[in-house]
Amino acid sequence: MSDSQLWDDVDAYFAALLSPEDEPLQAALRDSDAEGLPHINVAPNQGKLLQLLAQLQGARAILEIGTLGGYSTIWLGRALPADGRLISLEYDAHHADVARRNIARAGLDPIVEVRTGPALESLPKLADENPPPFDLVFIDADKVNNPHYVEWALRLTRTGSLIVVDNVVRGGKVTDAASSDPSVRGTRAALELIAQHPRLEGTAIQTVGSKGHDGFALARVLA
């Protein structure tokens, strides 16, 4: 058995046992696939992890940068109370439309809002609204702008908030300081920002599974 097959099998076992997908989650993936969206959504066990992190935070307000088809948005939205709020930013208008339908089918449209457009344009507009601080920020968009997204997350959070940055391993390429890959360079810059910023305390974890060799960074906002 190959390593990748073993990783897939372990992920399938964990997901079936600990994070089974109900119909709204399965339908979100089916519709995303039917609409031609890329297969880059989080795995079920990763979605459950996001949900648990939000619950551990006691989150009432969540910001997601990168919606895709709304699969991770559903996991996160389910962690919120009935009067909670989740704002998700999606660059692609078609992706956003698919996500809105998936979110509505999951019954989360009263508390979830998907905003369309480049996140670096949406974030200043969001800041101008002076929203209550977000308790959790999930960053899963274009990797080139990861350091900018982390900086905006800091502006829009509070002491004790949690920032999660996905896809930080880049198949192991993140270790290459001389890489010319913009995604690797953006990821490294975000990790260096987390390491050096006086208001952030963080770590990064590499994972293997149905998404291959990958990982995520976690950062807690300090006073």
Side-chain angles (χ1 to χ4, degrees):
M1 180 183 295
S2 68
D3 285 346
S4 61
Q5 183 59 58
L6 180 60
W7 300 342
D8 288 352
D9 290 348
V10 172
D11 256 11
Y13 168 68
F14 285 160
L17 183 66
L18 298 169
S19 50
E21 297 170 308
D22 59 11
E23 175 56 24
L25 285 166
Q26 293 174 353
L29 293 181
R30 287 198 305 268
D31 282 10
S32 295
D33 185 54
E35 291 289 343
L37 274 61
H39 297 168
I40 55 175
N41 53 276
V42 301
N45 50 344
Q46 295 167 341
K48 183 66 172 291
L49 175 62
L50 291 171
Q51 186 182 88
L52 289 170
L53 289 172
Q55 290 169 333
L56 287 167
Q57 280 292 103
R60 302 185 64 84
I62 296 173
L63 173 64
E64 180 181 48
I65 304 176
T67 317
L68 195 62
Y71 182 79
S72 58
T73 320
I74 293 172
W75 281 107
L76 286 166
R78 287 176 169 178
L80 289 171
D83 60 346
R85 186 187 191 197
L86 192 161
I87 295 177
S88 189
L89 308 180
E90 173 55 44
Y91 174 82
D92 188 287
H94 176 56
H95 294 181
D97 287 342
V98 174
R100 290 186 186 101
R101 294 197 299 269
N102 288 332
I103 290 162
R105 181 171 45 220
L108 292 169
D109 48 325
I111 61 171
V112 175
E113 178 187 0
V114 178
R115 300 188 180 187
T116 307
L120 292 181
E121 295 179 9
S122 299
L123 287 163
K125 295 175 183 176
L126 176 59
D128 286 344
E129 297 172 14
N130 195 29
F134 291 96
D135 305 300
L136 185 147
V137 179
F138 179 45
I139 299 172
D140 189 14
D142 60 298
K143 312 311 173 187
V144 175
N145 286 309
N146 270 347
H148 301 303
Y149 297 148
V150 172
E151 289 170 345
W152 273 107
L154 262 173
R155 290 185 58 178
L156 292 165
T157 51
R158 57 169 176 80
T159 300
S161 291
L162 184 66
I163 301 170
V164 183
V165 186
D166 203 11
N167 307 128
V168 299
V169 172
R170 316 307 304 161
K173 296 177 182 177
V174 71
T175 61
D176 183 3
S179 176
S180 60
D181 183 334
S183 293
V184 172
R185 294 171 68 88
T187 298
R188 286 178 61 92
L191 292 169
E192 290 161 8
L193 175 61
I194 290 170
Q196 298 165 6
H197 201 287
R199 291 192 59 225
L200 289 174
E201 181 79 20
T203 190
I205 301 294
Q206 63 178 331
T207 61
V208 295
S210 60
K211 298 300 176 180
H213 183 200
D214 208 342
F216 57 91
L218 290 172
R220 185 171 183 265
V221 179
L222 306 177

